[in-house]
Amino acid sequence: MHISRNFEKTFLRLLSPANLTYDTMGPKVSWGASASACEQRADVVDSPLSPYFTSSTGVDITAASIALFICVAWLKSVDAAVYFNLLDMRLSRKMIHIGTGPIFLLTWNLFSDAPEARYFAAVVPLLVTAQFFLIGVGVINDPQAVASMSRRGDPSELLRGPLYYGIVFVVSTVVFWRSSPLGVLALSVLCGGDGLAEVLGRKYGRVKLPWSRSKSYVGTAAMFLGSFLFGFGYLVYFNYLKNFNPELSVGSTALIVLLLSLAAAAVEALPFQDVDNITVPLAVIILGNWLLPFGTVNCEY
Ligand SMILES: Nc1ccn([C@@H]2O[C@H](COP(=O)(O)OP(=O)(O)OP(=O)(O)O)[C@@H](O)[C@H]2O)c(=O)n1
Ligand SMILES: C/C(=C\CO)CCC[C@H](C)CCC[C@H](C)CCCC(C)C
């Protein structure tokens, strides 16, 4: 068994109630059943880059370089839009929050099916997050990045929301990678739900939640909607690309993502700021680990 499968197993065991048992292939709960085809989660995605290389390392280095290039181009375009006053600082922060993760997810299938591909992929958010960490602590001076990613123009703000966001991406890429619907779902809910909550909440959220005075009913409804749209959209997309084995059944997955989006909206409505970037994906992983097996086809439960 590859070491990364152990990460996944250990991570889920740490997060879950003690009465559930885990199979050896990842976040699939075995409800007392013996190992079956439902518990195989091998990565069988074929990279479009593989015809051009003789080794998986060549594919993975190229895929990581392409992702890094796209990342720099995207972040620099947002910085430039803020610099030329085409974009308001608050909106730019949200655009980075909503856009960066989903763009990264779209690059995942460029990587090879080698077990170490996830580490090459994780290097991309790791490098970008490390750079923002250094800006946050004052080692690197990058006023444009601070302007586009902070709320009030203070570099140390990068050490909260943006840093947590980056860490969640690195950990989830290594632990779950692309063959697990859990990681894809947690990351897309983090980007879509939280992002839409702030954009719509700030614009239309006049009536505040009684227990969370900085959040509104409109924002919480947008959190639910954004979580569902991004979460379900990305699961259907990766399902169509045959990332998940066993395959997801679109109907039951819709229902499960609906429930998980409600849970994500409830967690986001709690009176905390910044840590949403950790609590929301964590809640989706804990609950999704229990619910998602029911959304797979050809399995008996
Ligand atoms: N469930 C939610 C989540 C967020 N929001 C809105 O989204 C914004 C949250 O922005 P954020 O950057 O997290 O916090 P603040 O620092 O309070 O925002 P700002 O300083 O830009 O007002 C707030 O205006 C809040 O009303 C909301 O209405 N409902
Ligand atoms: C402003 C942000 C959050 C506030 O809630 C987002 C911060 C973004 C990061 C620190 C960057 C994370 C890196 C990526 C997930 C890698 C992206 C690669 C890609 C191809 C665009």
Side-chain angles (χ1 to χ4, degrees):
M1 184 176 38
H2 186 261
I3 187 165
S4 53
R5 292 284 183 211
N6 273 327
F7 281 159
E8 218 167 282
K9 214 173 109 183
T10 312
F11 189 79
L12 288 163
R13 191 170 278 153
L14 280 174
L15 292 178
S16 304
N19 59 339
L20 301 179
T21 56
Y22 291 86
D23 66 52
T24 52
M25 295 296 286
K28 276 277 295 88
V29 183
S30 307
W31 300 87
S34 57
S36 69
C38 290
E39 287 160 7
Q40 309 288 309
R41 297 196 317 97
D43 186 349
V44 289
V45 176
D46 193 17
S47 164
L49 299 173
S50 39
Y52 306 102
F53 295 89
T54 50
S55 76
S56 65
T57 309
V59 172
D60 290 330
I61 290 176
T62 310
S65 311
I66 292 174
L68 209 54
F69 176 78
I70 296 173
C71 183
V72 173
W74 158 247
L75 293 175
K76 289 288 170 206
S77 318
V78 179
D79 287 0
V82 173
Y83 184 75
F84 291 111
N85 282 327
L86 300 170
L87 200 63
D88 166 80
M89 240 166 97
R90 286 178 176 178
L91 204 60
S92 68
R93 185 168 164 274
K94 276 310 112 188
M95 267 187 71
I96 295 177
H97 182 110
I98 299 176
T100 313
I103 298 174
F104 180 50
L105 291 181
L106 291 181
T107 68
W108 277 11
N109 280 18
L110 290 177
F111 290 84
S112 79
D113 59 3
E116 60 279 6
R118 64 179 73 203
Y119 303 109
F120 283 95
V123 163
V124 180
L126 183 70
L127 286 179
V128 182
T129 308
Q131 188 208 349
F132 291 136
F133 174 79
L134 295 175
I135 297 174
V137 293
V139 172
I140 297 179
N141 183 28
D142 187 343
Q144 284 178 22
V146 175
S148 66
M149 263 200 299
S150 64
R151 290 189 183 106
R152 281 169 277 275
D154 177 358
S156 69
E157 285 182 49
L158 268 57
L159 300 176
R160 296 196 295 271
L163 180 65
Y164 303 149
Y165 181 104
I167 292 173
V168 165
F169 264 88
V170 174
V171 173
S172 186
T173 305
V174 169
V175 172
F176 296 108
W177 191 216
R178 63 189 180 191
S179 56
S180 161
L182 265 184
V184 171
L185 191 59
L187 295 179
S188 38
V189 164
L190 163 64
C191 302
D194 221 25
L196 210 62
E198 294 195 16
V199 172
L200 296 186
R202 184 172 296 138
K203 203 155 189 230
Y204 305 105
R206 269 171 288 279
V207 188
K208 303 291 179 190
L209 301 177
W211 63 91
S212 229
R213 301 308 299 175
S214 72
K215 307 196 176 183
S216 62
Y217 286 100
V218 171
T220 300
M223 170 74 197
F224 166 73
L225 189 71
S227 300
F228 182 78
L229 292 178
F230 275 65
F232 185 58
Y234 269 88
L235 283 191
V236 168
Y237 173 67
F238 278 127
N239 201 39
Y240 169 76
L241 295 181
K242 303 270 177 275
N243 278 42
F244 309 131
N245 179 23
E247 202 181 315
L248 297 178
S249 121
V250 174
S252 29
T253 301
L255 188 65
I256 291 165
V257 178
L258 205 79
L259 293 174
L260 292 173
S261 303
L262 278 175
V267 170
E268 200 274 342
L270 296 173
F272 306 116
Q273 226 183 22
D274 295 323
V275 285
D276 289 349
N277 287 352
I278 298 177
T279 52
V280 167
L282 209 55
V284 170
I285 288 167
I286 293 172
L287 206 60
N289 179 47
W290 178 60
L291 285 176
L292 274 170
F294 296 102
T296 49
V297 293
N298 308 324
C299 287
E300 293 162 20
Y301 289 102

